[in-house]
Amino acid sequence: MSIITVIGSGQMGSALAFPLCDNGHTVRLVGSPLDGEIIKRIALDTYHPTLKRTLPQGVEAYDLSMLEVALEGAELIVGGVSSFGLDWFKDDIIPRLPQGVPVLSVTKGMVDLEDGSLVSYPEVYEGSTDKRISFNAIGGPCTSYELADRDYTCVSFCGRDIEELEQIRALFATDYYNVGVSVDVRGVECAVAMKNAYALAVSLAIGMSYKREGRELEHYNSQAALFYQSVTEMRRLLKLCGGGEDNIALGAGDLYVTVFGGRTRKIGTLLGTGMPLDEALERLNGVTLESLVIAKRTNAAVKRLIAAGKVAPEDFPLLLHVGEILDGQRVNIPWKSFKM
Amino acid sequence: MSIITVIGSGQMGSALAFPLCDNGHTVRLVGSPLDGEIIKRIALDTYHPTLKRTLPQGVEAYDLSMLEVALEGAELIVGGVSSFGLDWFKDDIIPRLPQGVPVLSVTKGMVDLEDGSLVSYPEVYEGSTDKRISFNAIGGPCTSYELADRDYTCVSFCGRDIEELEQIRALFATDYYNVGVSVDVRGVECAVAMKNAYALAVSLAIGMSYKREGRELEHYNSQAALFYQSVTEMRRLLKLCGGGEDNIALGAGDLYVTVFGGRTRKIGTLLGTGMPLDEALERLNGVTLESLVIAKRTNAAVKRLIAAGKVAPEDFPLLLHVGEILDGQRVNIPWKSFKM
């Protein structure tokens, strides 16, 4: 049995304790500077207040000040931060990590460079250090609540070394947590990062339907039309990122689960009713909207590529409209620009 | 303004009257031998009893005996039958059609030939006659109820002649009914035919979740995992059919709407609880389950290709399990055979 140290005790990082502990491993959860209350509560009675689940036997909670103790003897380090914690993990944590112990990151998203290119977090981490650490990542459709409830889940672990990925997979795989491996880091990460902007886009149709009906009745033709357009544009983005085209299946699966997954759906639905962004944000006050940050980032990258003449705006009408909405415009889906 | 004659007055054929009449055209609905009660009711007060909507002004109902009258002066003929009506349309109707008037078919599905190949309905119709008639078809995510409610909908009209397709499109296109055109008949039809088997597959996860929870609570990780695997296998089927790979977006959109669209979801959910097929069919007694026929047909074609050594069974684990369920086995998703 092994020790796995998870840095960042948010919902997804903590939910991974379920398959790990079911396999008999010890999971050391280390709180980020934002996780003080979570770690205190877990130390008290193993209840995770934002995941809203009691964590399984085998979980130990550590304050960040105890990081080096928590890393002692670890076979794997999980980077459990959201994309807001990217810089913190890169600047404050990686310098404190031991060499030779692989890192597996749960953070979804891409970083847009000045030239419009999008790179994955494992690549950002790699570029930030001279240490001999392999950076891997998890992609695929998985909400933390359902993983904690042991719903059947299929994900992909991506990294450069297939043998190491197989070893990491062996720590996690259970009958309900199915793990594939891929060396196409750019493809996997790009596919799952895209889905944030597009889950917002598909959710717009929910709000449009609510508004028209005057009650919470959903129509699906319009959601499906936006799902169609999303898959079409995601395939183009995948190509732009240099990811393998097979990854569109991961992206479509992740889009599906995200449309039903809570926060992105909520903001998309509100915006779909015609509510302006600031009012919608106020309505959801206090909720972390990582998806908006990722959507803006993807938009920024595509706009740079358009400015450089590398792609045409008519290839991304839905993404660009999401960008307009995030800039304050009201919803007005450009249906006629979708080429079925 | 034009006359459009719709042969077969089921839900989808009749729902097309909404965009057509909104554009000012006259729609002549001709009942199939199964549509007697529907036609009587429409003639009485324009209410469509299975679509459960009052049809718009501009619709006229015709008994089948009046087919030739209904065809007089028509600019377009719509084949409005389900796949159960394929042979009837081919053998009884096509010989009675005038030459030179294009046909647009709403029937989704493919026909499996002896050698395992799958061909589209327009191709079957073409091969059945020497008449000079162009056969076109509608693909894409669209449920009839929502089209009748004028929800935003995007579909693709496919056929051989792009100019003729543009003319047909002009009859239908409204602000809510968005129509693209494609000359990749095989690709469009294959993409949307596949979705029946896979919508059943994704719905299995709903029943599995209900069973585990003991109440109607859905989990989405497992649905998304099956959605992922469905898109993966649909891409392979599309290639086998010789359809363009871009059509996967149409297939994914159609899969999305079908998972929410009623009958396929109902049978999949029941089967997902572990109920055997015969009991599930009894529970849904009387409901037309076209999707099961199409799912069986796709299965049969893939099995023939496997027997011929042209494809490997490990490329279609989900489709083959759907086939097993339709042969009477209980649900037991082969998670480990999905390669993420």
Side-chain angles (χ1 to χ4, degrees):
Chain A
M1 299 302 99
S2 307
I3 294 164
I4 292 92
T5 302
V6 179
I7 302 174
S9 58
Q11 294 169 33
M12 186 52 82
S14 304
L16 288 173
F18 285 83
L20 287 168
C21 292
D22 283 349
N23 284 339
H25 304 302
T26 295
V27 174
R28 295 179 181 160
L29 277 183
V30 183
S32 79
L34 300 172
D35 294 338
E37 292 305 313
I38 293 175
I39 288 294
K40 264 192 230 164
R41 180 65 196 267
I42 295 171
L44 182 72
D45 63 1
T46 70
Y47 184 80
H48 193 297
T50 58
L51 187 60
K52 298 188 181 70
R53 270 50 173 188
T54 296
L55 297 179
Q57 210 173 2
V59 173
E60 300 167 358
Y62 285 78
D63 186 79
L64 184 57
S65 61
M66 304 285 279
L67 177 63
E68 280 69 21
V69 178
L71 288 167
E72 187 69 37
E75 188 164 317
L76 176 74
I77 296 160
V78 173
V81 298
S82 78
S83 58
F84 296 122
L86 173 72
D87 286 337
W88 173 74
F89 193 83
K90 175 164 65 70
D91 300 333
D92 291 15
I93 298 301
I94 292 177
R96 294 168 70 182
L97 298 184
Q99 297 207 75
V101 182
V103 169
L104 179 71
S105 168
V106 306
T107 322
K108 288 185 177 180
M110 304 280 279
V111 174
D112 59 315
L113 305 183
E114 281 297 320
D115 64 352
S117 64
L118 287 157
V119 295
S120 68
Y121 287 170
E123 292 171 286
V124 173
Y125 292 151
E126 269 173 13
S128 77
T129 182
D130 291 331
K131 282 188 177 176
R132 192 172 46 78
I133 299 175
S134 83
F135 292 97
N136 308 276
I138 305 182
C142 178
T143 65
S144 55
Y145 297 112
E146 296 193 350
L147 177 57
D149 290 340
R150 299 183 176 85
D151 188 32
Y152 288 99
T153 302
C154 293
V155 297
S156 180
F157 287 2
C158 59
R160 296 199 188 280
D161 180 344
I162 198 85
E163 282 180 30
E164 189 173 66
L165 286 168
E166 290 287 359
Q167 287 164 12
I168 298 173
R169 162 161 69 176
L171 297 171
F172 285 87
T174 66
D175 63 328
Y176 62 86
Y177 193 55
N178 296 282
V179 180
V181 293
S182 171
V183 292
D184 184 2
V185 178
R186 191 68 75 84
V188 169
E189 291 298 289
C190 175
V192 300
M194 300 314 164
K195 63 92 200 277
N196 280 289
Y198 289 108
L200 185 77
V202 174
S203 308
L204 293 170
I206 304 171
M208 290 166 67
S209 180
Y210 284 5
K211 184 173 184 207
R212 213 188 96 180
E213 297 289 330
R215 59 191 169 123
E216 294 202 354
L217 180 81
E218 284 184 53
H219 282 121
Y220 293 103
N221 279 11
S222 45
Q223 288 180 44
L226 295 176
F227 199 95
Y228 156 84
Q229 183 65 21
S230 296
V231 171
T232 298
E233 295 186 19
M234 284 165 69
R235 291 182 72 235
R236 293 185 184 131
L237 282 166
L238 202 48
K239 201 169 177 186
L240 281 175
C241 290
E245 59 185 19
D246 285 356
N247 291 297
I248 191 59
L250 268 185
D254 212 353
L255 179 58
Y256 184 92
V257 83
T258 307
V259 170
F260 298 100
R263 293 172 287 193
T264 306
R265 178 190 182 90
K266 275 184 194 140
I267 184 91
T269 302
L270 290 176
L271 295 169
T273 64
M275 192 180 282
L277 180 66
D278 50 0
E279 197 182 327
L281 287 172
E282 207 174 300
R283 188 77 75 89
L284 297 177
N285 69 329
V287 171
T288 306
L289 284 166
E290 192 182 2
S291 64
L292 298 191
V293 178
I294 301 177
K296 280 189 177 174
R297 208 170 269 166
T298 315
N299 254 284
V302 168
K303 279 182 191 153
R304 279 205 201 95
L305 291 171
I306 290 170
K310 291 183 187 168
V311 299
E314 52 266 33
D315 284 340
F316 297 98
L318 186 54
L319 183 68
L320 292 173
H321 184 51
V322 168
E324 289 170 350
I325 292 174
L326 295 180
D327 285 343
Q329 281 189 37
R330 303 227 183 169
V331 63
N332 183 18
I333 305 288
W335 298 106
K336 300 294 170 202
S337 59
F338 301 168
K339 306 275 173 272
M340 302 294 287
Chain B
M1 298 302 99
S2 307
I3 295 165
I4 292 92
T5 302
V6 179
I7 302 174
S9 59
Q11 294 169 32
M12 185 53 81
S14 304
L16 288 173
F18 285 83
L20 287 169
C21 292
D22 283 350
N23 284 340
H25 304 302
T26 295
V27 174
R28 296 180 181 159
L29 277 183
V30 183
S32 78
L34 300 172
D35 294 338
E37 291 306 312
I38 294 175
I39 287 295
K40 264 191 231 165
R41 180 66 197 266
I42 295 172
L44 181 72
D45 63 2
T46 71
Y47 184 80
H48 193 297
T50 59
L51 187 62
K52 299 187 180 69
R53 268 57 174 184
T54 296
L55 297 179
Q57 209 173 3
V59 173
E60 300 168 357
Y62 286 78
D63 186 78
L64 184 57
S65 60
M66 304 284 279
L67 177 62
E68 280 69 21
V69 178
L71 287 167
E72 188 68 37
E75 187 164 319
L76 175 74
I77 296 160
V78 173
V81 298
S82 78
S83 57
F84 296 122
L86 173 71
D87 285 337
W88 173 74
F89 193 84
K90 176 165 65 70
D91 300 334
D92 291 15
I93 298 301
I94 292 178
R96 295 168 68 181
L97 297 184
Q99 297 206 76
V101 182
V103 170
L104 179 71
S105 168
V106 306
T107 322
K108 288 186 176 182
M110 304 280 279
V111 174
D112 58 316
L113 305 183
E114 281 297 321
D115 64 353
S117 65
L118 287 157
V119 295
S120 68
Y121 288 169
E123 291 171 286
V124 173
Y125 293 150
E126 268 173 13
S128 77
T129 182
D130 291 331
K131 282 188 175 175
R132 194 172 45 79
I133 300 176
S134 84
F135 291 98
N136 308 275
I138 305 182
C142 178
T143 65
S144 55
Y145 297 112
E146 296 192 352
L147 177 57
D149 290 341
R150 300 183 177 84
D151 188 33
Y152 288 99
T153 302
C154 293
V155 296
S156 181
F157 287 1
C158 59
R160 296 199 189 279
D161 180 344
I162 199 84
E163 281 179 32
E164 189 173 65
L165 286 167
E166 291 287 359
Q167 287 164 12
I168 299 173
R169 163 160 70 176
L171 297 171
F172 286 88
T174 67
D175 63 328
Y176 62 87
Y177 193 56
N178 296 281
V179 180
V181 293
S182 171
V183 292
D184 184 1
V185 178
R186 192 70 74 84
V188 170
E189 290 298 289
C190 175
V192 301
M194 300 314 163
K195 62 92 202 277
N196 280 290
Y198 289 109
L200 185 77
V202 174
S203 308
L204 293 170
I206 303 170
M208 291 166 66
S209 181
Y210 284 5
K211 187 179 181 201
R212 215 189 95 181
E213 297 289 330
R215 60 191 169 121
E216 294 201 355
L217 182 81
E218 284 184 54
H219 281 121
Y220 294 103
N221 279 11
S222 44
Q223 288 180 44
L226 295 176
F227 200 95
Y228 156 83
Q229 183 64 21
S230 297
V231 172
T232 298
E233 296 185 18
M234 283 164 70
R235 291 181 73 238
R236 293 184 184 132
L237 283 166
L238 202 47
K239 203 170 175 183
L240 280 175
C241 290
E245 58 185 18
D246 286 357
N247 290 298
I248 191 60
L250 269 186
D254 212 353
L255 179 58
Y256 184 92
V257 84
T258 308
V259 170
F260 298 99
R263 294 173 286 194
T264 306
R265 178 189 182 89
K266 275 185 195 138
I267 185 94
T269 302
L270 291 177
L271 294 170
T273 65
M275 194 181 280
L277 180 67
D278 49 1
E279 197 181 327
L281 286 173
E282 207 174 302
R283 190 77 76 87
L284 297 176
N285 69 330
V287 172
T288 305
L289 283 166
E290 191 183 3
S291 64
L292 298 191
V293 177
I294 301 178
K296 279 188 177 177
R297 206 171 269 166
T298 315
N299 253 283
V302 168
K303 279 182 190 154
R304 279 204 202 96
L305 291 171
I306 290 170
K310 290 183 188 167
V311 299
E314 52 266 33
D315 284 341
F316 297 98
L318 186 54
L319 183 67
L320 293 173
H321 184 49
V322 168
E324 288 169 350
I325 293 174
L326 295 180
D327 285 341
Q329 282 190 36
R330 303 226 182 169
V331 63
N332 183 19
I333 306 288
W335 298 106
K336 300 296 170 200
S337 59
F338 301 168
K339 306 276 174 270
M340 302 294 286

